[in-house]
Amino acid sequence: MSPPVAPPGWSRWLVPPAALSVHLSIGQAYAWSVFKPSLESALGLSGTQSALPFQVAIVMLGLSAAFGGTLVERNGPRWAMTVALVCFSSGFLISALGAASEQYWLIVLGYGFVGGVGLGIGYISPVSTLIKWFPDRPGMATGIAIMGFGGGALIASPLSAQVLESFGSDSSGIALAFLVHGLSYAVFMSLGVLLVRVPRSEDAEGAAGGPSALEGVQVSARDAVRTPQFWCLWIVLCMNVSAGIGILEKAAPMITDFFADTSTPVSVSAAAGFVALLSAANMAGRIGWSSTSDLIGRKNMYRVYLGVGALMYALIALFGDSSKPLFILCALVILSFYGGGFATIPAYLKDLFGTCQVGAIHGRLLTAWSTAGVLGPLIVNWIADRQEEAGKHGSSLYGLSFVIMIGLLVVGFVANELVRPVHPRHHVPTPRKETADVERQPSEPA
C-alpha cells in the first residue's frame, strides 16, 4: 500500500485529525480498569490476573512498535493505520469469544496479544509524518495526535460502563461489550486511514516557512540504539510511564479502596468518573506540556515531569486518604505528566537524532513502555494483593508501592540529567539539496 502524497494546496492541519481518529480508538486501553471488576466477578480472577490482558497489550505495544517501526517508515502511515485497525478490532472480537465461552486465555490472546500489536503499530503510525508536516513545531504536532491516545479513555470509560450496565456484568454481557467496542472502533479508525497523507517534498522542506525537516543532525535508527542518549531516554520514559501507569491501570478500584472506610465512600459510577478525569488530565498533558516543551526545551520539561511527579506521589502517600480533593488533584497532575512524557518524547528524539528515521527510533524506544507496562501494574497489584492477604485494607494497600514509584521517578530524573548531544561520529551526512526530497529508506530490515 503506497503512502498517499498530499495534492497541491492540501492543508497540513488535516493530518492531526487523521492521527486522532486512530489514537482516540487505541486509547481505549487506558479504560481497561472499568472491565476489571466485572471480569474478576464473572471469571473469579484476582486483581493481578485481571490486569494481565492490559499488561500483555502494553508489552506487545512496545515490541510491535520496535520491530514494526522500520516497516511503518517504509510503507507509510496509511499501511500502518490499516494494520492497526485490523489488529485492534480483531482483538476485541477474539476477546468477545473468550468472554462468551469463559475462556480467559482467549481474552489475554485477543485483547493482549493481537490487540496489543494494533496498539503499537497504530501508536507510531503518524509520528514521523507529523514531524515532517510540522518541522517548526514538533512538540505541538505530536502532542495533538498523541493527545488522542491519552483521551481515548475519556470516551471509552463512560461508554464501557454504560455498555456493561446495559448488557450486564456476567460473561455474556462482557462478551457483547467487547463485540460493540470492536465494531465501533473499526468504523472510527477507518476515517484516519482514508484521510491521512504524506507531504510532498516541498512541504517537507519547511512547512509554513519553518525549518526543513531534513536539516540538522541526522542519526540512523541502527546507530541511535548504540548511543548513551538513547538508553538514558529509555530509562527516563520507562520510569515516568511506570509511575503513571501504576495509578491508571488500577484507578477505579484504587480510589474506591482509599476512601472505603471514610464517611464519603466512592461509588462504582464515581470511580468510573475518576477514570474519565484521569483520561482528561492525560489528554490535556499531552498537548499542553508537549507544546510547553517547544518553549522551555525537552530536558527542562522532563525535569518537571519527574521531579514534581515524585512530589505528587509523596503527597498522596502522606495525606491522600485524609483529603479526597488532594488525592484527585495529585493523581491528575501525575497523569498529566505521564501523558506529557509520551507526547514530548518524539520531539526529544527529533532534537537528538533528527527526522531521518525518527519513527523507527521512536518505535525502538517504546520497548521502555513494554517494560513499564509490566512493572507499574505489577508493583501496585502485587503489593496490594499481598497487603490484603496480610489483613490490611484501604489506603494501606498502596503505601509501599507509592514509595517505590517515588524511587523510580528519582532514577528517571538522574537519567535525564545525563542526556547530552549525540557525538558526531554517529551522524549521517546531510542529503544534498537535489536529493533531499527523496524519501530516505531505512538501512536495516524490519
Side-chain angles (χ1 to χ4, degrees), residues 141-168:
T142 55
I144 289 175
I146 295 176
M147 169 183 71
F149 194 90
L154 190 62
I155 299 171
S157 181
L159 172 65
S160 299
Q162 182 60 49
V163 170
L164 285 172
E165 184 178 343
S166 300
F167 294 143

Side-chain angles (χ1 to χ4, degrees), residues 82-98:
T82 301
V83 172
L85 184 159
V86 172
C87 292
F88 188 65
S89 297
S90 297
F92 271 110
L93 301 184
I94 296 171
S95 296
L97 178 62

